[in-house]
Amino acid sequence: MAAYAAATSLKNTIQRILESSRISLDSHSPQILLPAYLEMNHLQRILLLLDDTSCCKIRTKVNAVDERIKEAVWEFEDLLESHVLHQILPQLESERDNLSFSVDLQSLEHRVGYFIEMVEMLIMEFLIEYDNMPEEEGEPISSRIDFGGIKSNMVGLSYEFQKARDDLLRGKDYSIIGMAGVGKTTLAKRIFEDPSIRGRFEFRAWVRVGRKCEPNELLRCILAQADPNAYQMLTQGDDEEEELVGLLKEKLKHKKCLIVLDDAWEGQAIDRLTSCLRDKKICESVRFLLTSRKQIVFEEGGFQRVRLLNDEESKELLGEKVFGEEGFPIQLEELGEKIAWKCEGLPLMIVTVAKLLSEADKTPEYWTEVFVKRHSSVFVDAYNQISEVFLPSYDYLPQHLKMVFLYMGAFLPYCDILTVQLISMLSVEGFFQPIGEQNFQEFTYGCLAELSLGYHLVRNTTKSLSLKTTYRVHSCW
């Protein structure tokens, strides 16, 4: 999943060799490397096709080819760098003050040709897998409208709850956005079940959107809650929009409605649904409450980024999930606070760790091991359990953001990364290439902003005293 960055790296390496004032090439050598440079441009254009692909497409096979492309490109780049280095070192040893080095690339001509042929074959394979990507299977409507398994017991986030509820009551649509596992759905359910919301909206519907959900499918989910009998008369998947709209209008035309759209991934389907319900005047008035891990907001609505829990809230949630309302026994309270801290305020992580702790020894000795040991089995198991929820957030990132995000994973967990330090290190790695007229600093700041605000994969803070911005990747990654 890093072939795009590998192609950028090879392009930068070739450019440095061709443009270096200290490397003297014979007249034929530039013509040897230029085809490889152009091939990397071609490869990047092919890889960028994924950025316009629907989130409902399953990328498993495409990603496997991407991995093989990355390995092939990096292997050739290693070969090229070694070839140049082996010619420079003897010259450097014989003349320490030498400012120019003679490099001959003639012997690489065959290897360059072989490399281009191999990349072309991999591109063909990539395109075949790209054209045949299977779609995510649609969920049955019964599971899309059932939120019985979602716990609405909420620790913290009282301000977020009040703001979202009050905006809905004032007639605004509202988006709840944030990273995976941060508690968006739990917050939405708490709002959905609030007595003042129940009193305002005569009809309320809950629809889990997910990565694959067509607008007509959303209409069917709403109809199934408005009138189960009318819904059962339809053949799922065959009914037209007009028929669905007619039935909904019959049931909802004099009512005020609230529609919750949980876990939305693509704004286009949401726009079509909201326009349909409003333009065709299906009900007296309709408001939408949406949750998403991406930056999907209503044009004239309110929105809230759900924050991570603070240390006290994390401790409270962990204690409640392991021991019930009474919380930690005195001998485990301090260790419980430390274990909660390792979860970095992510509710899904806290709840998953709590479940594993509930099934293990509740002794100070064991809990000390869980906190102290870097790769504690409790945390490793928890990471594995939540990975299915988290990985799509990375998998469907635009190509130019993937390597920036992966690179941030090279830093130690639980540590903030100074932006100036990160940009300085990224600038010399050679993995990245600014887009359009941007310089490198503008490009990197843009990537960090997208990862933070657009995709909620990293979080940023500004140190109040130094005003230095830092970024951090959650330890679950």
Side-chain angles (χ1 to χ4, degrees):
M1 291 185 277
Y4 185 87
T8 303
S9 180
L10 178 55
K11 282 171 60 179
N12 286 334
T13 296
I14 292 173
Q15 193 168 352
R16 283 197 300 271
I17 292 170
L18 295 179
E19 296 178 359
S20 173
S21 61
R22 301 190 64 185
I23 295 178
S24 175
L25 298 173
D26 67 275
S27 59
H28 186 56
S29 288
Q31 302 310 313
I32 293 172
L33 285 184
L34 187 59
Y37 185 92
L38 295 175
E39 184 66 18
M40 292 302 97
N41 277 334
H42 178 219
L43 172 61
Q44 287 183 314
R45 287 194 295 271
I46 297 298
L47 295 173
L48 285 173
L49 291 172
L50 277 179
D51 288 356
D52 297 321
T53 303
S54 168
C55 291
C56 70
K57 296 286 188 179
I58 299 173
R59 299 183 175 185
T60 307
K61 291 185 177 180
V62 167
N63 287 340
V65 182
D66 183 287
E67 181 72 12
R68 288 164 55 205
I69 294 172
K70 179 202 74 175
E71 293 298 331
V73 174
W74 278 355
E75 183 180 346
F76 179 77
E77 185 175 7
D78 287 344
L79 171 71
L80 175 60
E81 289 179 327
S82 297
H83 183 85
V84 172
L85 184 64
H86 288 159
Q87 293 188 51
I88 288 176
L89 282 177
Q91 298 174 58
L92 185 63
E93 290 169 358
S94 62
E95 294 184 54
R96 288 288 178 181
D97 297 328
N98 194 4
L99 297 179
S100 181
F101 306 100
S102 177
V103 174
D104 181 3
L105 300 177
Q106 300 268 5
S107 61
L108 279 183
E109 188 166 11
H110 174 72
R111 294 298 298 270
V112 171
Y114 173 75
F115 169 68
I116 291 173
E117 287 180 15
M118 181 167 55
V119 171
E120 280 297 322
M121 289 174 58
L122 288 168
I123 286 175
M124 290 292 293
E125 190 176 344
F126 180 92
L127 288 171
I128 290 170
E129 297 298 350
Y130 171 83
D131 289 336
N132 293 284
M133 279 191 293
E135 285 197 357
E136 191 103 355
E137 287 189 17
E139 295 182 47
I141 286 182
S142 58
S143 65
R144 287 193 185 278
I145 65 178
D146 178 22
F147 57 92
I150 302 165
K151 304 298 182 185
S152 61
N153 296 344
M154 195 173 66
V155 172
L157 304 182
S158 57
Y159 168 78
E160 289 81 354
F161 163 74
Q162 290 171 10
K163 186 176 186 306
R165 180 195 61 188
D166 293 348
D167 273 10
L168 285 168
L169 292 174
R170 282 195 290 263
K172 281 187 176 182
D173 298 325
Y174 205 82
S175 296
I176 298 171
I177 55 181
M179 71 181 291
V182 80
K184 302 181 295 295
T185 300
T186 299
L187 177 57
K189 187 182 179 187
R190 172 86 183 277
I191 296 164
F192 188 79
E193 295 181 327
D194 183 75
S196 59
I197 293 292
R198 287 174 175 269
R200 170 62 64 89
F201 298 101
E202 300 156 86
F203 173 75
R204 296 168 304 123
W206 182 285
V207 182
R208 201 188 81 77
V209 182
R211 296 207 303 279
K212 182 181 181 182
C213 200
E214 297 295 329
N216 277 15
E217 182 83 352
L218 299 175
L219 289 172
R220 281 191 287 271
C221 290
I222 297 168
L223 181 61
Q225 295 169 80
D227 186 353
N229 293 327
Y231 165 71
Q232 288 168 9
M233 289 162 44
L234 300 172
T235 304
Q236 183 174 337
D238 294 336
D239 34 290
E240 296 296 327
E241 182 178 294
E242 289 304 318
E243 187 176 7
L244 292 165
V245 166
L247 287 167
L248 278 170
K249 186 178 287 189
E250 182 183 327
K251 294 298 175 184
L252 303 177
K253 61 183 176 181
H254 297 306
K255 295 180 179 179
K256 294 179 180 177
C257 302
L258 172 66
I259 312 295
V260 175
L261 301 170
D262 183 39
D263 191 30
W265 278 75
E266 295 187 345
Q268 190 174 7
I270 302 302
D271 289 342
R272 285 180 59 189
L273 174 72
T274 55
S275 298
C276 175
L277 291 177
R278 286 184 170 131
D279 294 347
K280 300 188 178 179
K281 296 180 171 50
I282 287 176
C283 51
E284 179 181 318
S285 68
V286 59
R287 291 290 163 252
F288 294 93
L289 175 62
L290 176 146
T291 76
S292 178
R293 64 182 72 186
K294 297 171 71 176
Q295 181 77 1
I296 300 177
V297 297
F298 296 101
E299 189 173 342
E300 297 181 0
F303 73 93
Q304 180 71 239
R305 297 185 198 281
V306 181
R307 63 174 175 84
L308 296 167
L309 301 182
N310 61 35
D311 290 347
E312 191 58 39
E313 292 165 344
S314 298
K315 174 186 172 183
E316 179 185 342
L317 179 59
L318 184 70
E320 178 186 300
K321 292 299 179 183
V322 179
F323 296 104
E325 291 184 4
E326 64 273 16
F328 295 106
I330 189 67
Q331 71 273 19
L332 293 176
E333 185 168 5
E334 185 177 347
L335 286 166
E337 185 175 357
K338 291 177 178 178
I339 292 171
W341 174 84
K342 284 188 74 173
C343 297
E344 291 195 280
L346 186 67
L348 178 61
M349 188 68 189
I350 295 169
V351 169
T352 307
V353 167
K355 182 176 182 297
L356 294 166
L357 288 174
S358 300
E359 298 166 352
D361 294 337
K362 298 180 181 64
T363 62
E365 293 76 19
Y366 181 72
W367 279 39
T368 298
E369 180 184 328
V370 170
F371 170 67
V372 172
K373 195 173 179 182
R374 183 170 182 182
H375 298 294
S376 158
S377 61
V378 167
F379 277 87
V380 171
D381 289 349
Y383 294 145
N384 288 336
Q385 288 184 29
I386 69 174
S387 64
E388 189 175 335
V389 174
F390 270 75
L391 283 177
S393 290
Y394 168 77
D395 205 14
Y396 293 95
L397 274 179
Q399 293 287 345
H400 71 281
L401 294 180
K402 285 185 174 181
M403 200 64 193
V404 179
F405 181 66
L406 289 176
Y407 187 77
M408 294 176 75
F411 290 81
L412 291 172
Y414 308 106
C415 291
D416 292 331
I417 310 166
L418 274 173
T419 310
V420 290
Q421 177 194 11
L422 181 60
I423 290 176
S424 176
M425 295 175 74
L426 287 173
S427 68
V428 298
E429 290 288 4
F431 296 134
F432 312 103
Q433 181 179 24
I435 297 172
E437 299 299 316
Q438 294 176 310
N439 61 37
F440 188 85
Q441 189 173 41
E442 291 169 340
F443 168 73
T444 312
Y445 270 119
C447 288
L448 293 172
E450 280 190 85
L451 286 169
S452 174
L453 302 177
Y455 294 92
H456 304 100
L457 280 175
V458 301
R459 51 196 174 107
N460 69 310
T461 58
T462 299
K463 306 288 186 181
S464 57
L465 295 178
S466 63
L467 297 180
K468 291 182 178 178
T469 304
T470 62
Y471 285 87
R472 179 186 289 202
V473 177
H474 197 282
S475 58
C476 66
W477 285 102

